[in-house]
Amino acid sequence: MKKIVLLFVLGASMSVFSQKKEKTLITIDGEKTTVSEFKRVYEKNLDAIDNEEAKSITNNLDLYINYKLKVKEAYAINLDTLPSYKREMESYKNQLSAPYLQDTTFIDQLVKDAYFRTKNQVKAKHILMRLPREASPKDTLMVYNKILELRERIIKGEKFEALAAQYSEDRSAQDDPKTGRKGNGGSLGYFSAFNMVYPFEVAAYSTKVGEISMPFKTQFGYHIMQVDDIKESKGEIEAAHILIRDTTAVGKMKIDSIYAKLNNKESFDDLAKKYSEDPGSKNNGGKLGKFGAGRMVKSFDDAAFALENVSDFSKPFRSQFGWHIVQLLKKHPIKSFDEMKVELKEKIKKSSRMQLSEDAVVNKLKKEYTIIEYEEAKKILDRKNLRAIPKDSLQHTIISINDKNITQETFINYIRNRRHLAVFKLFEMFKDDQILTYYKENLIYTEPEYAYTLKEYEDGLLLFELMQEKIWTKSSNDSIGLQKFFKSQEDTYTTTDLDSIKGQVINDYQNFLDKNWIADLRKKSKVKVSKKELKKLIKFYENK
């Protein structure tokens, strides 16, 4: 029974895109279904049909009419107004529209860029000037000018590292008198794709070796950068280490004694388990798993990637965590683009740069749509208590997108629980959000495949709810009706014990209920099939 339902749940169609010239095959209470609509469903289901009789156009047309009558009944009894149905449909719309909100050409370019930046690592240093969380345009300009001034000083001959140590708000650039740690002068060592926030990565690979970048912005503030080197990446490695946290002379003696034991051919694995003070790796012999350049602190990175052969180990070296010895366990060279393409695309989808693809769609839509901002209505942005403005005072249009007017109230609802950004930034976010919302709302008119698929799911979900109510639940719970049906069909069964064949009887009872229900639905509706178009359709498939 459920197989028959699913056949048309998977293949339901709609008439939104029917052309005026298309021929009508079926009319149900004045609602027309074209030949092409039925063909779409029939051809879509052909792969699920395993015998010639089931491929009959007439049989499939009957099933299709039954399907349409059931869906019509579902709408008639308002199953589409159920909260559970609305939630399910909203969730499905979001899933279905997701691919349309991405610029595939843009994503392909992101993948190519990510491969180049995986294959080639860059060495750079930077100076950071932080921005307040809710920086005003005035604050932003002030920070920009300060870092631009530092750039000019470097170009005129001052040392990048010295200015980084003095002015950078990245603490690692400065000496720490409390711990005795030396600052890195802004140096970040080598890194590659996905090691830094995306705007920083873009700046690093866009700046020529030896040059100073123009100021650029990330979530942390404004940066300037000097690129020191770019070279082919060694890929990723697997390594193990031994850590001694004591950075005094006592700790140095301890790490040196461990190094001597390694030179005397003692097992790295055993020594790590015995002496290492890294609780996360100690028990598995110091193993750290796989990592690429830029994932570890610079001194560790430099020592690990300097090892040439598997099983080689470094001399003792110091980091901010203590004294280390690192051993190379395995090398993972960079694969070819074709081998990495899928992996890189997945990484991009999970990273912040995926937002750039959506931004590309929004920017394209901004050029296509007529978007008007109403300056008078926007004056509410200047009010300090704007979230407390009465609803009645918020009915003016603040933005219009083509034929859609969006009120101030909609904007206030959008920002009500968003207090982490300045209002003028929230307005830009709101505008982009409304553009995407408008785009999604109109996908059923602009993207036929989306509209068909959405309607299939919409009707299929309704039909499932209806079948659950009318057939499946009833056949399982109506023990008296089931017993009565069994007795009326005793001649067709080989036993009088209902319990022994209950599953088969329930299935037959479902078919019985469905048949009677369909008969009632057909009595209630006026169904007309064009004999002329049906003949043409049968002939078309006979000649294929």
Side-chain angles (χ1 to χ4, degrees):
M1 180 63 220
K2 290 186 183 181
K3 288 181 181 177
I4 296 173
V5 173
L6 288 174
L7 183 68
F8 284 101
V9 166
L10 293 171
S13 63
M14 61 182 298
S15 58
V16 171
F17 295 97
S18 299
Q19 302 297 315
K20 289 181 181 179
K21 292 181 181 178
E22 286 191 3
K23 303 294 184 181
T24 298
L25 179 62
I26 312 161
T27 306
I28 300 175
D29 295 333
E31 184 180 329
K32 295 178 180 180
T33 299
T34 65
V35 172
S36 63
E37 285 180 83
F38 174 75
K39 282 176 69 177
R40 174 186 168 85
V41 175
Y42 176 71
E43 290 175 5
K44 191 172 183 180
N45 289 322
L46 278 178
D47 291 338
I49 298 172
D50 54 9
N51 63 74
E52 289 303 316
E53 184 182 350
K55 290 181 181 181
S56 160
I57 294 291
T58 307
N59 290 346
N60 277 274
L61 186 61
D62 278 341
L63 287 173
Y64 183 68
I65 291 169
N66 293 345
Y67 170 84
K68 296 288 278 186
L69 288 168
K70 289 174 182 177
V71 170
K72 186 173 181 292
E73 179 70 5
Y75 281 107
I77 62 174
N78 298 320
L79 285 182
D80 58 319
T81 63
L82 293 174
S84 58
Y85 171 81
K86 287 183 174 181
R87 284 195 300 271
E88 178 70 23
M89 282 308 303
E90 193 59 35
S91 174
Y92 185 71
K93 278 182 186 178
N94 289 333
Q95 292 177 42
L96 188 60
S97 64
Y100 295 92
L101 304 182
Q102 303 301 334
D103 186 320
T104 53
T105 304
F106 188 83
I107 292 171
D108 289 343
Q109 187 57 51
L110 287 177
V111 172
K112 289 175 185 175
D113 290 343
Y115 181 71
F116 176 84
R117 295 168 189 175
T118 300
K119 195 171 183 181
N120 297 278
Q121 55 185 356
V122 65
K123 184 181 182 185
K125 47 184 174 275
H126 81 130
I127 295 173
L128 168 66
M129 291 281 181
R130 295 189 182 274
L131 277 170
R133 177 171 287 192
E134 291 194 20
S136 67
K138 184 180 177 181
D139 295 331
T140 303
L141 183 61
M142 184 174 69
V143 171
Y144 181 88
N145 286 335
K146 281 173 68 177
I147 204 162
L148 187 62
E149 183 184 332
L150 291 178
R151 181 180 185 272
E152 292 300 320
R153 288 172 64 178
I154 295 165
I155 289 171
K156 288 176 181 176
E158 292 190 56
K159 289 286 186 183
F160 192 107
E161 294 85 351
L163 291 178
Q166 186 176 356
Y167 295 106
S168 181
E169 294 175 357
D170 175 353
R171 290 181 183 176
S172 67
Q174 303 154 8
D175 294 342
D176 187 341
K178 289 183 180 179
T179 63
R181 177 186 59 79
K182 296 289 289 181
N184 60 24
S187 178
L188 300 167
Y190 283 96
F191 56 90
S192 55
F194 303 104
N195 293 147
M196 302 291 181
V197 292
Y198 185 66
F200 198 95
E201 178 188 306
V202 171
Y205 283 92
S206 304
T207 304
K208 293 179 180 177
V209 173
E211 290 190 355
I212 313 294
S213 73
M214 286 296 290
F216 63 93
K217 191 177 178 185
T218 71
Q219 66 205 59
F220 304 106
Y222 273 106
H223 309 251
I224 53 172
M225 172 192 297
Q226 182 171 34
V227 173
D228 296 325
D229 187 27
I230 184 166
K231 66 179 183 180
E232 191 168 341
S233 173
K234 292 182 178 180
E236 294 181 307
I237 60 171
E238 291 178 42
H241 82 135
I242 296 169
L243 170 67
I244 301 299
R245 294 187 181 277
D246 187 348
T247 56
T248 67
V250 175
K252 180 69 167 69
M253 287 176 61
K254 193 171 182 180
I255 199 77
D256 284 343
S257 70
I258 295 169
Y259 183 63
K261 292 176 188 291
L262 287 168
N263 282 321
N264 286 330
K265 309 300 182 187
E266 290 193 40
S267 163
F268 193 100
D269 188 88
D270 291 342
L271 290 171
K273 288 176 179 175
K274 187 173 182 180
Y275 295 109
S276 182
E277 295 171 2
D278 175 9
S281 66
K282 175 187 174 85
N283 293 333
N284 64 351
K287 293 181 180 66
L288 296 168
K290 188 164 64 171
F291 58 92
R295 285 276 299 280
M296 302 295 185
V297 292
K298 185 178 180 301
S299 56
F300 195 99
D301 233 31
D302 291 345
F305 281 92
L307 299 171
E308 292 292 334
N309 304 305
V310 171
S311 297
D312 284 355
F313 52 86
S314 70
K315 292 180 179 179
F317 64 92
R318 185 176 166 181
S319 79
Q320 65 212 58
F321 302 106
W323 289 98
H324 308 259
I325 301 171
V326 61
Q327 182 183 45
L328 179 63
L329 301 179
K330 193 173 182 179
K331 290 185 173 184
H332 295 273
I334 303 296
K335 299 173 186 175
S336 70
F337 177 72
D338 286 339
E339 290 174 307
M340 289 196 71
K341 188 162 52 175
V342 173
E343 177 190 341
L344 289 173
K345 189 171 280 191
E346 285 305 307
K347 276 188 174 182
I348 285 167
K349 285 179 179 178
K350 293 174 183 175
S351 74
S352 61
R353 66 194 70 192
M354 197 60 180
Q355 180 63 41
L356 296 171
S357 174
E358 189 171 294
D359 292 344
V361 173
V362 171
N363 291 333
K364 188 163 67 175
L365 293 173
K366 283 178 179 178
K367 294 174 184 176
E368 294 175 9
Y369 293 164
T370 300
I371 301 166
I372 301 172
E373 297 178 23
Y374 293 84
E375 297 304 323
E376 191 64 30
K378 279 177 65 180
K379 286 181 179 178
I380 62 167
L381 272 63
D382 300 325
R383 292 174 60 171
K384 290 184 179 179
N385 66 336
L386 80 165
R387 290 178 178 84
I389 298 173
K391 179 179 174 181
D392 292 347
S393 303
L394 294 170
Q395 301 311 308
H396 297 289
T397 299
I398 196 167
I399 305 175
S400 64
I401 304 170
N402 290 348
D403 56 349
K404 181 181 179 181
N405 293 327
I406 299 141
T407 65
Q408 296 161 315
E409 183 186 359
T410 309
F411 170 65
I412 297 301
N413 288 338
Y414 176 82
I415 69 166
R416 196 169 300 283
N417 297 314
R418 292 178 168 93
R419 298 174 183 268
H420 63 296
L421 292 172
V423 174
F424 71 91
K425 288 185 179 177
L426 288 172
F427 181 78
E428 291 304 314
M429 290 168 57
F430 169 73
K431 183 168 67 175
D432 289 352
D433 180 73
Q434 289 299 312
I435 290 168
L436 281 179
T437 299
Y438 181 86
Y439 176 61
K440 286 194 285 186
E441 289 171 349
N442 284 275
L443 278 174
I444 59 168
Y445 308 114
T446 60
E447 298 291 342
E449 194 57 38
Y450 170 87
Y452 280 124
T453 306
L454 183 65
K455 188 63 176 174
E456 285 173 5
Y457 192 84
E458 186 176 61
D459 289 351
L461 189 61
L462 280 176
L463 182 56
F464 184 86
E465 292 288 342
L466 190 64
M467 293 296 289
Q468 192 81 22
E469 179 183 315
K470 294 281 188 180
I471 306 295
W472 300 329
T473 301
K474 185 176 180 180
S475 64
S476 300
N477 297 341
D478 183 11
S479 56
I480 295 173
L482 184 67
Q483 187 72 43
K484 186 177 179 182
F485 171 77
F486 178 63
K487 285 185 176 179
S488 70
Q489 303 291 318
E490 277 183 347
D491 293 344
T492 62
Y493 299 116
T494 57
T495 178
T496 57
D497 180 14
L498 173 60
D499 289 337
S500 65
I501 55 167
K502 194 169 185 179
Q504 180 187 344
V505 177
I506 287 175
N507 189 66
D508 292 342
Y509 187 40
Q510 286 176 351
N511 289 332
F512 170 77
L513 292 172
D514 187 68
K515 187 176 179 181
N516 289 342
W517 180 36
I518 285 294
D520 289 341
L521 290 176
R522 287 201 176 232
K523 285 177 186 175
K524 284 167 55 178
S525 293
K526 187 176 180 181
V527 179
K528 182 181 177 184
V529 176
S530 170
K531 293 180 181 178
K532 179 183 175 183
E533 296 304 326
L534 179 57
K535 282 182 182 178
K536 285 165 67 176
L537 199 58
I538 293 169
K539 189 174 181 181
F540 173 80
Y541 284 105
E542 283 177 348
N543 293 334
K544 283 192 79 173

